[in-house]
Amino acid sequence: MRLQSLTLVAAGAALLAPTAPVTAPQQQPRAQTRAEPAHTEPARPAPVRADRFRADRFRADRFRLGRARPKPAARQEGAVRAAELLARVRECVPVSHGRYRSDAAAPADIPVCGTRDVVFWKADMDIDCDGQPGTRCNHRTDRSYTAATAYPQSDGRPLDAERLPYIVVPAASRLWDHRAHGVRGGSVAAVVHGDRVRYAVVGDTGPRDIIGEASYAAAEALGIDPDPHTGGTPSGVTYIVFKGSRVTPIEDGTAAALTGERLARRFARGD
């Protein structure tokens, strides 16, 4: 029948027709619903300041290249106790050819004593304000002020009594010549008063027959009144000078303290 033929023809045409590729429908991003928890970013560390980072890196580079060294831990004066040093200078073997006075009108009863490593004496402390003039050491504050010291700084100027702890030794004489015992400008001394130990350099010379004097700064460090007119103390000060020692430059008070502490510890141990 014709109807059946037409149906068969249509079916054959459908089989012969090219088929178009089937594409899946494009998936749309799913909208976030209230039921879903909002996505949260993980906590971030606090930002580092750029200038601090640069400074830290610069310091690290300097250490790496050897252009800087870590600062040493602060070392405190007085690590060697006063009692330890006084025990080592209890007995006196005189090295002076006589005795000194503490003041012009005082009796001559102070010998300079010696051991293998040090010379020492026990006396008063007068205040030496000589050297560079300052607000506390000058012609107005000290009637015997002199703008010079026996041993100058590395730049040729006198020492600064207000800033540098130094002691005074008697000028060389037949009574005692400090140079013959390894004592000179810049030699290191431990000065003991009460329970305090402070370190100084030999910085000036005084009268040939008087002993017991130190700078404004040395007295102040020991807790002694440093006023050049009314200060000082009449007794109780022990001066211990290490033979053959020397600080260069002489005005380096920090070097004097470090060297003095090392020598004092060795002396206290009896090395």
Side-chain angles (χ1 to χ4, degrees):
M1 293 184 3
R2 183 175 178 81
L3 179 59
Q4 185 177 3
S5 300
L6 290 175
T7 302
L8 292 174
V9 170
L15 291 173
L16 295 176
T19 58
V22 178
T23 58
Q26 187 174 2
Q27 186 174 4
Q28 297 295 328
R30 186 176 55 176
Q32 186 175 1
T33 63
R34 291 184 179 179
E36 295 177 349
H39 178 69
T40 57
E41 293 289 337
R44 297 181 180 179
V48 178
R49 289 176 48 187
D51 56 347
R52 179 177 176 182
F53 174 76
R54 286 194 296 271
D56 291 343
R57 186 174 63 182
F58 175 70
R59 281 195 292 269
D61 289 343
R62 292 182 68 204
F63 285 117
R64 180 173 53 82
L65 296 174
R67 295 175 183 170
R69 294 289 184 270
K71 293 183 178 180
R75 300 179 69 182
Q76 191 173 19
E77 278 192 297
V80 179
R81 293 181 302 161
E84 295 178 86
L85 293 177
L86 294 178
R88 296 281 291 143
V89 296
R90 189 172 293 135
E91 298 181 1
C92 174
V93 176
V95 295
S96 59
H97 302 291
R99 296 173 180 249
Y100 286 91
R101 306 175 189 274
S102 59
D103 294 295
D109 57 0
I110 304 172
V112 176
C113 312
T115 71
R116 180 190 64 183
D117 302 309
V118 305
V119 293
F120 65 93
W121 56 93
K122 302 176 182 181
D124 64 338
M125 180 180 284
D126 296 325
I127 307 302
D128 187 343
C129 249
D130 293 344
Q132 297 182 37
T135 57
R136 300 173 181 85
C137 291
N138 52 62
H139 288 289
R140 295 187 303 276
T141 61
D142 185 3
R143 290 173 293 184
S144 59
Y145 171 80
T146 301
T149 50
Y151 306 106
Q153 291 185 165
S154 55
D155 60 3
R157 295 190 298 164
L159 300 180
D160 187 343
E162 292 184 14
R163 297 178 179 273
L164 179 66
Y166 69 76
I167 68 169
V168 181
V169 296
S173 69
R174 293 180 180 179
L175 185 58
W176 181 56
D177 187 346
H178 57 273
R179 300 169 298 185
H181 295 267
V183 177
R184 52 186 170 171
S187 289
V188 181
V191 189
V192 183
H193 177 63
D195 60 354
R196 294 191 182 190
V197 180
R198 294 295 182 265
Y199 302 102
V201 294
V202 173
D204 204 359
T205 59
R208 287 180 170 85
D209 60 343
I210 294 177
I211 202 167
E213 191 174 3
S215 69
Y216 184 105
E220 188 174 43
L222 286 165
I224 296 171
D225 181 0
D227 186 276
H229 181 57
T230 61
T233 184
S235 62
V237 181
T238 301
Y239 303 78
I240 304 171
V241 185
F242 300 99
K243 292 180 179 181
S245 63
R246 192 176 190 182
V247 170
T248 304
I250 189 174
E251 67 269 19
D252 191 340
T254 300
L258 293 174
T259 303
E261 183 181 319
R262 175 174 55 83
L263 295 174
R265 179 167 296 283
R266 182 186 302 172
F267 179 64
R269 289 196 305 245
D271 295 349

